[in-house]
Amino acid sequence: MADSAVQTPSDPSIAEMSRPAKTKPSLSRLGKDLLKPLASLQLTVVLFALATVLIFCGTLAQIDAGIWTVVSTYFRSAYVWIPFQIFFPRSMGVPGAILFPGGWLIGGLLLINVVAAHAVRFKATWKRSGIILLHAGIIVMLVSEAVTGLYAVEGNMTIVEGGAANYVENNLATELAVIDSSDA
């Protein structure tokens, strides 16, 4: 029976070549290490739970406030004070409120989370194209809500049948118009 032994080369240059090379962390690897906590699935689950609670509280808050007040207060803000009163009958005067992350904060963190997840974990392959397309749709929805919240102007144009109109009514803003009705 023959013994097999590992032989080490006597030439030091050959010994250096057989050792695994020590690699320095690359810039992309360092970036991925920094993005890893932002890309975690646990963060995604927590953010979705926070969004669910915010939507529930915003729905309850519509009992006392109009929809556009709730949208601007709860969903188009970084944080919101949620009054305890919304969880109880209005006849009970329950004081106090809790500070809660608003829609823009939760949505912004979700946007960062999904982009970081694709940078760290997901590989662009044909088999994963459905997930990539789905996440791209979520990114478009998050960005479009931010643009809408910042720049959209809502209004109504009332046109009677067979008539015409040249103005838009904004139900959310108050305007004082001074008109000179005297004969020119």
Side-chain angles (χ1 to χ4, degrees):
M1 184 148 101
D3 289 336
S4 62
V6 177
Q7 295 179 347
T8 57
S10 58
D11 186 7
S13 63
I14 296 174
E16 285 295 318
M17 290 180 3
S18 64
R19 288 189 195 139
K22 293 181 183 177
T23 58
K24 287 193 275 184
S26 67
L27 189 60
S28 65
R29 184 71 196 152
L30 183 63
K32 285 186 178 187
D33 288 342
L34 292 174
L35 285 177
K36 202 172 257 188
L38 294 173
S40 75
L41 190 56
Q42 290 85 359
L43 178 62
T44 308
V45 171
V46 167
L47 290 172
F48 274 128
L50 289 173
T52 303
V53 171
L54 182 68
I55 292 168
F56 178 70
C57 293
T59 303
L60 290 177
Q62 289 182 37
I63 295 171
D64 301 320
I67 188 168
W68 292 112
T69 303
V70 171
V71 166
S72 65
T73 305
Y74 283 71
F75 305 118
R76 292 185 179 162
S77 63
Y79 65 91
V80 61
W81 283 99
I82 299 175
F84 295 134
Q85 180 63 51
I86 66 172
F87 302 109
F88 298 97
R90 301 307 174 254
S91 60
M92 297 174 64
V94 179
I98 185 170
L99 184 64
F100 202 78
W104 277 352
L105 182 60
I106 294 171
L109 290 174
L110 277 170
L111 179 63
I112 291 168
N113 178 255
V114 71
V115 170
H118 277 277
V120 172
R121 282 199 314 262
F122 292 109
K123 306 288 185 255
T125 63
W126 182 249
K127 287 173 65 175
R128 313 264 315 159
S129 62
I131 291 174
I132 293 170
L133 185 63
L134 180 72
H135 286 151
I138 291 171
I139 290 169
V140 167
M141 286 180 10
L142 289 169
V143 170
S144 64
E145 171 51 32
V147 170
T148 300
L150 292 171
Y151 301 110
V153 177
E154 298 283 336
N156 297 329
M157 180 179 278
T158 306
I159 305 173
V160 295
E161 189 174 338
N166 62 356
Y167 62 92
V168 175
E169 299 171 39
N170 186 347
N171 297 332
L172 305 176
T174 305
E175 176 185 4
L176 174 64
V178 179
I179 300 172
D180 183 10
S181 61
S182 63
D183 194 16

